[in-house]
């Protein structure tokens, strides 16, 4: 059995460093409590491969996971330094109990970006990571870790005092356009990343996993800004061979694979609702995902594994205990179990 997890660490930064401003510094007790919380999760759930987000201190994280029996750890970027001790723009990382044989930062195709109406200098807000891992029965598998652009508006009003109608409407306009700008960035990141994944698979035929904080709802039934990540048909084409090729290069949400039995029907007539992975006030959303290629889809004749379990670790969000969870994370941890097909 293989266990795969995606884990947003929420401002993982070792003191005396701070993230964003001087107020966000852990004291030593808080830092040790955060470290312990992560160790406890790893000890209890034992994932084999973990994609991390919000990493400011990769060296510290590497040492922590090594203590927990993860000898392989990689990053492809570093956080930006604002001031001597203040950092911004955290990075993604990956840890594995199986050998990582290659590592790369995924870069967007600039020609394709231009054809989409973007700048030739377009870059991902955070560099996606691709790790090639030697997994049992699968061999070399390309595991991608992402943290797509947040929903925070790209434009913000500089006027703190909204004393006039003009000031209010200016702030409103910037909020509206800034939010859409963030959506454009997030959707473009997903499309350009998926295109690079397709090209990589065409060259190597490696199985694929995509995990991370998508910062948006992935709705395969509607045309949301991330819906193309799970597109699996070539529109306006009735050629079965062409459609089969597309399916071999498509990705599927591990939740849906788990919800379906091997014969392709829903395992239960009233399946449980999908647990949220993040809460804004009292509203929950699923922002954290693990997507898989056809090698993990039991409906695909030549698949090797199937999703036998899907777990959302959210007790620190649903029923937090201060002594245990005060330095945890603001996201749930999503983990799937992959079992060899019988």
């Amino acid at each position: 059995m293989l266990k795969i997890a995606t884990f947003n660490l929420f401002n993982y930064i070792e003191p005396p460093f701070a993230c964003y401003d001087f107020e966000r510094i852990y004291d030593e007790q808080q830092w040790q409590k955060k470290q312990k919380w992560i160790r406890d999760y790893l000890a209890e759930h034992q994932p084999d491969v973990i994609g991390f987000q919000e990493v400011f201190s990769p060296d510290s994280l590497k040492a922590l996971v090594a203590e927990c029996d993860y000898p392989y750890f990689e990053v492809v970027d570093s956080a930006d330094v604002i001031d001597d001790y203040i950092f911004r723009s955290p990075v993604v990382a990956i840890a594995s109990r199986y050998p990582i044989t290659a590592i790369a930062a995924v870069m967007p195709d600039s020609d394709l970006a231009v054809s989409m109406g973007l700048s030739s200098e377009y870059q991902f807000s955070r560099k996606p990571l691709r790790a090639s891992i030697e997994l049992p029965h699968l061999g070399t598998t390309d595991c991608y870790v992402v943290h797509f652009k947040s929903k925070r508006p790209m434009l913000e009003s500089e006027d703190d005092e909204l004393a006039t109608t003009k000031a209010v409407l200016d702030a409103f306009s910037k909020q509206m356009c800034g939010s859409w700008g963030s959506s454009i960035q997030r959707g473009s990141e997903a499309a350009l990343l998926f295109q690079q994944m397709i090209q990589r698979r065409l060259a190597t035929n490696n199985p694929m996993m995509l995990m991370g904080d998508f910062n948006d709802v992935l709705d395969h039934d509607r045309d949301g800004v991330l819906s193309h990540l799970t597109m699996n048909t070539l529109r306006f084409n009735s050629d079965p061979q062409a459609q089969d090729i597309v399916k071999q290069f498509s990705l599927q949400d591990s939740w849906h694979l788990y919800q379906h039995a091997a014969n392709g029907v829903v395992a239960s007539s009233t399946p449980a609702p999908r647990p949220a992975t993040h809460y804004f006030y009292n509203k929950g959303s699923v922002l954290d995902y693990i997507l898989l290629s056809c090698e993990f889809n039991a409906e695909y004749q030549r698949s090797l594994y199937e999703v036998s379990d899907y777990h959302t670790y959210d007790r620190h969000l649903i029923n937090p205990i201060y002594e245990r969870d005060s330095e945890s994370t603001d996201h749930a941890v999503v983990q799937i179990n992959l079992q060899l097909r019988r």
Side-chain angles (χ1 to χ4, degrees):
M1 181 178 293
L2 291 173
K3 298 180 180 181
I4 313 296
T6 180
F7 194 157
N8 184 316
L9 294 169
F10 184 58
N11 294 340
Y12 185 86
I13 186 162
E14 184 175 16
F17 301 107
C19 53
Y20 308 113
D21 60 59
F22 277 118
E23 300 299 319
R24 301 188 185 184
I25 303 176
Y26 296 109
D27 63 33
E28 189 58 30
Q29 183 178 5
Q30 290 173 319
W31 178 243
Q32 292 304 323
K33 193 172 186 179
K34 188 172 187 71
Q35 297 278 82
K36 181 180 185 303
W37 196 91
I38 298 168
R39 287 192 192 95
D40 288 347
Y41 174 83
L42 297 178
E44 180 179 354
H45 294 275
Q46 297 288 320
D48 296 302
V49 177
I50 318 158
F52 293 108
Q53 302 88 46
E54 293 208 28
V55 180
F56 287 97
S57 301
D59 290 342
S60 174
L61 183 59
K62 181 178 181 179
L64 184 153
V65 297
E67 294 173 9
C68 299
D69 195 27
Y70 295 89
Y72 304 98
F73 177 89
E74 296 288 349
V75 294
V76 293
D77 201 4
S78 58
D80 295 335
V81 180
I82 304 174
D83 205 341
D84 289 344
Y85 290 92
I86 305 176
F87 287 76
R88 66 180 180 187
S89 303
V91 302
V92 299
I94 194 165
S96 174
R97 287 181 168 161
Y98 295 99
I100 298 176
T101 57
I103 190 77
V106 181
M107 307 301 291
D109 183 317
S110 58
D111 292 336
L112 185 57
V114 170
S115 70
M116 293 166 58
L118 304 170
S119 166
S120 61
E121 304 299 319
Y122 177 89
Q123 295 295 324
F124 296 113
S125 57
R126 305 173 183 91
K127 290 180 182 177
L129 174 157
R130 185 188 73 230
S132 299
I133 303 179
E134 292 299 313
L135 295 178
H137 305 285
L138 289 167
T140 305
T141 302
D142 288 331
C143 300
Y144 296 81
V145 184
V146 297
H147 191 178
F148 290 140
K149 176 68 178 72
S150 73
K151 290 187 176 182
R152 181 175 180 177
M154 285 184 164
L155 304 175
E156 293 184 358
S157 175
E158 297 178 0
D159 189 355
D160 293 331
E161 295 186 7
L162 303 181
T164 66
T165 298
K166 183 180 182 304
V168 170
L169 294 179
D170 178 66
F172 178 70
S173 297
K174 286 187 175 180
Q175 182 183 73
M176 173 186 64
C177 294
S179 294
W180 178 240
S182 294
S183 295
I184 292 171
Q185 173 73 20
R186 188 165 56 257
S188 299
E189 288 177 350
L192 289 167
L193 170 63
F194 191 24
Q195 184 266 346
Q196 288 294 292
M197 293 175 68
I198 289 171
Q199 294 303 311
R200 169 74 176 178
R201 183 163 167 88
L202 181 62
T204 65
N205 202 35
N206 292 343
M208 301 184 295
M209 300 181 184
L210 172 60
M211 65 192 85
D213 177 358
F214 288 13
N215 263 318
D216 210 334
V217 175
L218 179 66
D219 193 337
H220 70 293
D221 294 325
R222 294 184 294 180
D223 291 329
V225 296
L226 300 183
S227 61
H228 41 278
L229 283 173
T230 51
M231 286 177 59
N232 61 1
T233 58
L234 187 62
R235 293 177 180 174
F236 313 114
N237 186 293
S238 59
D239 182 355
Q241 185 175 4
Q243 297 295 348
D244 185 60
I245 290 171
V246 170
K247 284 181 170 57
Q248 291 179 48
F249 283 77
S250 65
L251 295 169
Q252 295 200 46
D253 188 344
S254 55
W255 167 259
H256 296 300
L257 294 178
Y258 171 62
Q259 288 291 305
H260 287 73
N263 63 0
V265 299
V266 177
S268 169
S269 58
T270 55
R274 185 172 192 164
T277 68
H278 185 266
Y279 289 86
F280 185 72
Y281 294 102
N282 63 344
K283 182 180 179 181
S285 300
V286 181
L287 303 182
D288 303 82
Y289 295 88
I290 301 174
L291 308 185
L292 303 168
S293 58
C294 60
E295 286 83 1
F296 307 94
N297 181 2
E299 295 181 4
Y300 183 66
Q301 189 174 11
R302 288 171 291 188
S303 63
L304 298 173
Y305 281 90
E306 60 185 351
V307 181
S308 60
D309 192 22
Y310 182 105
H311 182 250
T312 302
Y313 186 78
D314 59 2
R315 68 180 186 182
H316 58 290
L317 304 177
I318 303 298
N319 186 26
I321 298 173
Y322 181 84
E323 291 75 13
R324 182 189 66 200
D325 301 317
S326 63
E327 304 301 335
S328 54
T329 173
D330 60 346
H331 282 246
V333 187
V334 173
Q335 179 170 304
I336 60 171
N337 293 355
L338 301 171
Q339 185 173 337
L340 277 174
R341 288 188 62 189
R342 297 178 180 88

